[in-house]
Amino acid sequence: MKIVVAVKQVPERDAAIRVGADGRWIEEEDLSYTINEPDAYALEEALQLKEKHGGEVVVVGAGPERVTSTLREALAKGADRAIHVEAVDLGERDTLGVAQVLADAIAAEAPDLVLTGLQSDDLGLGQTGVVMAELLGLPHATIIMQVEVTASGLRVKQELEDGWFQHVEMPLPALLTMQSGGNKLRYATLMGIKKAKAKELKTETAAAAAASPSARLERVYLPQRQKHTEMLTGSPAEVAAKLVQILKNDVRVL
Amino acid sequence: MRVAMLHCGGATAIGFLGRAGDACLLGTLILAEPEHFSGTEITLLLLAMLASAGLFLQRLWPILQTIHHAQPEQDFHLRPLGRRTAAFVWEVLLQGKVIRQRPLPGLAHAFVFWGFLAFALVSLNHVATGLRLGFLPPQSWAGRFYFDFAAVWALLVAVSIVGLFVRRFFVRPIWLGEHLSYESGVIAGLIFLLMVSYLGAFAVAPGGSAVKLLWWSHTAALLVFLPLIPHTKHLHLVLSPLTVFLKRDSFAQIPRLHGDEDFGLVAGKDVTQLIALQTYSCVECGRCTEHCPAATTGKVLNPKEVVLGLRSYLNTVGPASEVPLLAEARPDTAYAPTLSMEAVFGCTTCGSCEFQCPVGIQHVPVIVGLRRGAVNTGTWEDDYGTKLFLALEKHGNALGLSAAERDKFVTKQGFPIFDGTQEYCLWLGCMGGYDPKGREIIADFARVMHFLGTSFGVLKKERCTGDPARRLGNDLLFGTLADSGLKSLEAAKVQKIVAICPHCVRTIAEDWREYGIAPQIEHHSEFMARHRDRLPQQQGQSIVYHDPCYLGRYREQYDAPRQVVQQAGALVEAPRHRERSFCCGAGGGLAFLGEEHGERVSHVRAQELVATGADVVGTACPFCNTMFRDALHETERQPQLLDIAQLTARALPSQPPGGEP
């Protein structure tokens, strides 16, 4: 089975984020980058499927030159090849534009299965996977915890709300967006890094954006921490009633 | 003369021989030798010698071949010879380690060893006599002197070997192994026969049949003994002097990996010549196991069995093989727990085994080498281990907390950032930067530095030294961390570092060398001991000091922390202290792995410390501290638990003289 994993490089989780001067993106200097967490799980799933059923795992990542470090890490963990779609203007493209860049590279591979994270740690739009599926003309399923290969295709475990799951049967080829935590990630090894040196990392140049973006980032800002105390007054019965209203309507925990 | 000798030889008590002749007046007993050997006897002797030597070489030769065909030792240097010679003289010739660590059996062994040395000349002359080539006539001045000298040793050897026999077969210490070694009994019998047949020759007349009988039984014992050497653990007679001389440079030293195919000890092909030599030198005394915190608390690990497992691998599979060393990776064989991942990952790298070993086996590089083989190839799968590695990869600290937590702590404490103007860089470490108790220790040590007027700063960003990754065998992660640590120290132009954690000190000072030379680093015990004259002398409390493995055996700092403790109260020693200190259970990355099987190492040690009756348990390592913090909840009595920095800081005035620098 040939599996393509689309990965995104994002700032480290505990990096000290500073908003850029124009207020529309963050300062990228001094930031360290890593693989998007759900993408790490997508890669892990792909590697486990390959270990079970054989085949090939190809990782694809788009972005500036720094993205290659994340692709190298994926090779070190066990991917067979990597494709770097070089583009420095991804920030100015909308989801469709980014998905198009990735879909172009993936289509050329004609994979049996495409895996990617359900969303990214930085923007969290959760759209790239499903838009890619549309562009590639593949059936897709989202928020997948487990993948099983069956005689007719796949049986996947999909996360629903409130701790519910459902199992879905689907044909191949297909695209799945993976949830974090379904597997145990593996650690990078010396042997992996040494082997990765000999593996192919191909760089392709992204096609120029076809259309102007239909959506763009207006402003990024750090979450404001606010402490707000409201004293409820009245008889115990009144206070309790008010409290229930707030918990139901404002805080929405009831 | 003949009569005198007869009389002399016939009686053993010198006092009765007053008128028997000059020799006897001098109190000299003369060894009786057979006077004549027939051609048949000589032929028989020659054939027996040939057979004995043949059987000896038949086993020794393949062993030497195995060692020879093992992986050549890459970073091996014979120089400096001084250190090697000193180890040889102390450990081999003087039997220093053998005696010091097990005094009574050690002394018995030493007598046997020295006796053997004394007997070299005797044996040579003995066999030569049988070939009519005797060169040391018993009547000559030199002969009389030397044979009497050897007789004294023969007596000591005979008594010692009986003692050792009684110990092995009647006292039966468990460290010698569950099964009685009958070959040891045979060897002991042969040695006894050698001594008795030698001593007997002083008591019989020369030329008689008794002399012949004694001579032949002595010869037979010699010729049977020789081939038994390479076939039994007595091979150490031949190999261990060499092993001790050729040991790797420093204690628990983890060798570099070489080339793209070296991941540590994965298969037979990775076993180096030095390791092969060491495994064949093992005398199976079990000192390593006796002092092993894992083996003595019911874990699978048994360092002696790891060495013997390697030896058996070399004997059966061979040194150039691709067959994996660890049992879990060898589905072809029955599960052998002695050489398994489960065993080697139970090691705290405390180094007791290596320190104790009387024949120069270096266990820690072997155990860490086997871990390297499993981790560097991704064969080791352990949820806690993976979590630790991912935490170190991602957050740069072993506790898996956000690096921002350290920044907050540094700001809250008001620690200046090191900018090149301060004398010391205070290395916080994972415990000092993230762990609540470790932070208390760092804060108190900072107070001590303030009080002494020593300027210091902390690094803006600091990542783990890589100690747990190093000991668990993750070379990729360790290399990344060592490299980034060296770069940040260089960028900050640090000249001198002081740290509260012996693991940080060891890793920066020794293990980082593979990646570059780090600035000079010392442990806070060394710093405080140097300034102890200026620190307040406290009275009253008794403090039992626990030697951390990485400060004691690894760094040989036993006195400095004790000087600090003595400044803070009355020092009490635990039964096992200094070089023989017992581990807290945290080292080797084990603090981050799952629950132990069997008894907890920390509990055993905590109970021992509490039993001393001391008011305070004094530690010098934040890992020991954290282990005892938990263990002391379950002891009968709960003495205070304080790091030596806290012991010192508690007597300081709340405001340092001259205010905050």
Side-chain angles (χ1 to χ4, degrees), chain A residues 12-14 16 34-35 37 73 76-77 184-194 197, chain B residues 257 259-260 263 374-378 380 383 386 389-390 393-395 402-403 474-476:
Chain A
E12 283 275 9
R13 278 220 162 164
D14 59 2
T34 184
I35 187 170
E37 196 176 36
E73 273 169 43
K77 297 222 168 165
K184 278 170 188 152
L185 297 180
R186 63 190 67 197
Y187 55 90
T189 66
L190 189 65
M191 188 189 242
I193 288 286
K194 296 239 158 119
K197 279 187 197 159
Chain B
L257 298 177
D260 281 348
F263 301 109
V375 172
N376 286 335
T377 57
W380 186 55
D383 289 351
T386 306
F389 293 155
L390 293 175
E393 271 178 35
K394 238 177 149 56
H395 305 286
S402 159
N474 190 331
D475 281 279
L476 174 64

Side-chain angles (χ1 to χ4, degrees), chain B residues 38-51:
Chain B
S38 67
T40 324
E41 279 179 308
I42 294 177
T43 317
L44 193 67
L45 175 62
L46 278 171
L47 284 174
M49 281 170 68
L50 217 62

Side-chain angles (χ1 to χ4, degrees), chain B residues 95-242:
Chain B
Q95 297 275 290
K97 207 171 233 187
V98 179
I99 300 171
R100 210 168 163 199
Q101 301 302 327
R102 267 187 193 172
L104 213 56
L107 208 59
H109 179 274
F111 282 137
V112 175
F113 169 71
W114 293 325
F116 272 37
L117 292 186
F119 256 75
L121 196 64
V122 173
S123 301
L124 211 61
N125 181 66
H126 179 90
V127 180
T129 307
L131 301 172
R132 297 183 192 159
L133 296 167
F135 52 86
L136 199 59
Q139 303 88 347
S140 69
W141 179 86
R144 277 188 297 186
F145 166 76
Y146 198 81
F147 289 129
D148 284 5
F149 169 73
V152 175
W153 282 110
L155 213 57
L156 286 168
V157 170
V159 171
S160 298
I161 205 75
V162 168
L164 290 173
F165 182 86
V166 168
R167 172 170 182 265
R168 179 174 292 270
F169 288 91
F170 298 102
V171 182
R172 294 192 64 175
I174 54 165
W175 315 117
L176 295 176
E178 280 174 40
H179 304 289
L180 278 178
S181 156
Y182 291 104
E183 59 180 54
S184 299
V186 172
I187 296 270
L190 284 174
I191 294 175
F192 190 70
L193 179 61
L194 277 172
M195 297 306 127
V196 169
S197 57
Y198 176 74
L199 289 171
F202 285 94
V204 294
S209 57
V211 174
K212 251 311 164 41
L213 188 69
L214 283 173
W215 189 93
W216 273 108
S217 30
H218 192 86
T219 310
L222 259 182
L223 297 183
V224 172
F225 187 71
L226 186 69
L228 280 180
I229 292 174
H231 284 91
T232 64
K233 66 193 171 63
H234 294 84
L235 182 57
H236 81 281
L237 265 67
V238 182
L239 296 184
S240 74
L242 195 64

Side-chain angles (χ1 to χ4, degrees), chain A residues 12-78:
Chain A
E12 283 275 9
R13 278 220 162 164
D14 59 2
I17 300 285
R18 281 167 300 138
V19 175
D22 63 357
R24 288 179 53 191
W25 192 231
I26 52 173
E27 289 279 2
E28 293 200 349
E29 260 177 53
D30 298 338
L31 272 187
S32 45
Y33 286 88
T34 184
I35 187 170
N36 178 42
E37 196 176 36
D39 295 347
Y41 284 92
L43 174 64
E44 180 61 41
E45 185 64 55
L47 295 174
Q48 291 194 11
L49 286 172
K50 182 191 137 186
E51 280 160 8
K52 252 181 258 160
H53 306 287
E56 189 186 18
V57 173
V58 184
V59 280
V60 177
E65 211 266 324
R66 60 172 158 78
V67 172
T68 55
S69 69
T70 292
L71 295 175
R72 286 247 175 254
E73 273 169 43
L75 291 176
K77 297 222 168 165

